[in-house]
Amino acid sequence: MDPDKSKCAGRRSNGEPCGKWPMHGQRVCNTHGGSSPQAKAAAERRLQTAQAEQAVATYGLPREIDPREALLEEVYRAAGAVDWLRAQVERLTAEQVIWGKAEEVEKQAGEFPGVDTTHKAAVHVWVELYNRERKHLVDVAKVAIAAGIEERRVRLAEQQGALLAGVIKNILGDLDLSPEQQAMIGTVVPRHLRAVA
Ligand SMILES: [Zn+2]
């Protein structure tokens, strides 16, 4: 009879399958080495990998690479985006932060043609994006560490992501961009940060 795959893979002294339940995350029971430090470490690693795979699915990250690498790259990308968005938020005036532009209507006819702009008390979209990305960065970093990536490597990815965003910021600052080009920065830069990650 085929041995039951869900039961312990070890065998009794008479050669029969062990028949006991394996330990959590293991293929063998306590008697058959499930408690050894190597077995426990391997089990921990398997559980962490499962966690990393789960997080990769949750965040919609690329699946072609090792789930731990995917998490690390997301830390890198998110750190760059946070740094970038922080710079955008810092450039907003106190009023802009609170009074978002709700809509803009161009009036062709009527007594006073022109653009009608409605402002309403709402957090500026950049502030919202910044807060959302910041929370995401904290979450991904936490998951990465829980998945067994050394904290040192996670912090390094954060620093490198922020470094890259800083470089882009400086390059764009040195270029004499037209208002149209400047308006595109907000969409172009995050897109490419995503592509690099
Ligand atoms: Zn056993």
Side-chain angles (χ1 to χ4, degrees), residues 19-42:
K20 286 209 269 179
W21 291 110
M23 293 179 69
H24 185 52
Q26 303 262 30
R27 291 184 59 237
V28 289
C29 72
N30 186 28
T31 320
H32 286 107
S35 288
S36 76
Q38 304 95 299
K40 280 189 165 169

Side-chain angles (χ1 to χ4, degrees), residues 110-130:
E111 201 179 343
F112 306 103
V115 177
D116 240 11
T117 308
T118 312
H119 290 91
K120 67 168 183 182
V123 172
H124 194 282
V125 64
W126 270 343
V127 178
E128 237 173 79
L129 283 177
Y130 170 59

Side-chain angles (χ1 to χ4, degrees), residues 84 88 91 126 172 174-191:
W84 169 261
Q88 307 311 309
R91 284 167 52 189
W126 270 343
L172 291 172
D174 283 356
L175 293 170
D176 202 11
L177 298 179
S178 70
E180 291 79 32
Q181 286 169 327
Q182 281 186 18
M184 286 168 67
I185 292 175
T187 50
V188 171
V189 173
R191 176 153 50 84

Side-chain angles (χ1 to χ4, degrees), residues 119-181:
H119 290 91
K120 67 168 183 182
V123 172
H124 194 282
V125 64
W126 270 343
V127 178
E128 237 173 79
L129 283 177
Y130 170 59
N131 287 335
R132 205 186 306 161
E133 197 69 42
R134 209 165 41 154
K135 183 186 177 302
H136 178 62
L137 173 60
V138 170
D139 288 348
V140 180
K142 248 189 239 164
V143 172
I145 291 165
I149 302 172
E150 290 168 66
E151 181 156 2
R152 183 184 55 83
R153 288 187 69 200
V154 174
R155 299 302 163 220
L156 195 66
E158 277 182 13
Q159 285 167 16
Q160 286 171 336
L163 198 70
L164 178 72
V167 169
I168 297 172
K169 226 161 29 194
N170 292 341
I171 292 172
L172 291 172
D174 283 356
L175 293 170
D176 202 11
L177 298 179
S178 70
E180 291 79 32
Q181 286 169 327

